[in-house]
Amino acid sequence: MNTLVIAVAYRTPQEAVGFAKSLLAGYGGPDLHLIIVDNSDVAGEAVRQDDLPSGDGRVELVLAPANLGYFGGAELGLATHLRRHEWPDWVVVCNVDLTVEDPAGLLERLRSAKATSVVAPRIIREDTGRDLNPFMRTRPAA
């Protein structure tokens, strides 16, 4: 199963590089493609291709022409991917300020899901331990 991860960055080049390294280092399969879309609109605050893991063709940097917003950036990433590839089995859209501790396990869980439309991460505050993403813990009835 092919999985596309679209990570949207805005003035966070170090986080984007860290995210790419954590995702790609923990999963060696060729069926993963990462596109980092950088929405940064200030020179010097964008991700640089030279800083990203390279050599295996699984990571691509897209510099947005302007700050397109989160889902505008995601749309640009998907459109870029579809110019050269078929529709993936999974599309993951996320921020870059994440560390993926078990990429292989995460991808396996996604791939084994029967019909999931949205997966949201737990966002735990370090100082309080409170989950900041409690919205919609169960899927609404159709």
Side-chain angles (χ1 to χ4, degrees), residues 16-77:
V17 170
F19 174 76
K21 287 179 178 177
S22 73
L23 181 67
L24 298 175
Y27 185 78
D31 55 346
L32 172 69
H33 190 152
L34 169 62
I35 292 184
I36 295 179
V37 178
D38 197 315
N39 271 330
S40 299
D41 51 3
V42 174
E45 294 187 4
V47 179
R48 294 175 351 124
Q49 183 71 48
D50 292 344
D51 295 333
L52 293 171
S54 63
D56 64 10
R58 293 184 300 158
V59 62
E60 182 174 356
L61 174 63
V62 176
L63 298 175
N67 183 356
L68 303 175
Y70 186 71
F71 285 108
E75 181 179 33
L76 175 62

Side-chain angles (χ1 to χ4, degrees), residues 2-142:
N2 289 319
T3 302
L4 170 63
V5 176
I6 301 170
V8 181
Y10 180 73
R11 297 183 181 184
T12 52
Q14 294 85 5
E15 288 86 350
V17 170
F19 174 76
K21 287 179 178 177
S22 73
L23 181 67
L24 298 175
Y27 185 78
D31 55 346
L32 172 69
H33 190 152
L34 169 62
I35 292 184
I36 295 179
V37 178
D38 197 315
N39 271 330
S40 299
D41 51 3
V42 174
E45 294 187 4
V47 179
R48 294 175 351 124
Q49 183 71 48
D50 292 344
D51 295 333
L52 293 171
S54 63
D56 64 10
R58 293 184 300 158
V59 62
E60 182 174 356
L61 174 63
V62 176
L63 298 175
N67 183 356
L68 303 175
Y70 186 71
F71 285 108
E75 181 179 33
L76 175 62
L78 180 60
T80 300
H81 178 80
L82 293 177
R83 280 189 212 115
R84 287 179 287 240
H85 306 279
E86 294 181 11
W87 269 94
D89 297 305
W90 276 96
V91 177
V92 176
V93 179
C94 63
N95 293 343
V96 296
D97 59 346
L98 304 171
T99 300
V100 184
E101 294 179 2
D102 182 14
L106 171 65
L107 294 173
E108 185 58 35
R109 288 178 71 187
L110 286 175
R111 292 170 180 164
S112 67
K114 298 272 189 262
T116 302
S117 57
V118 176
V119 177
R122 289 181 59 205
I123 302 171
I124 307 299
R125 280 188 60 142
E126 290 181 4
D127 59 345
T128 65
R130 182 172 172 244
D131 189 348
L132 300 179
N133 196 9
F135 181 71
M136 211 177 293
R137 292 193 181 273
T138 58
R139 187 174 181 205

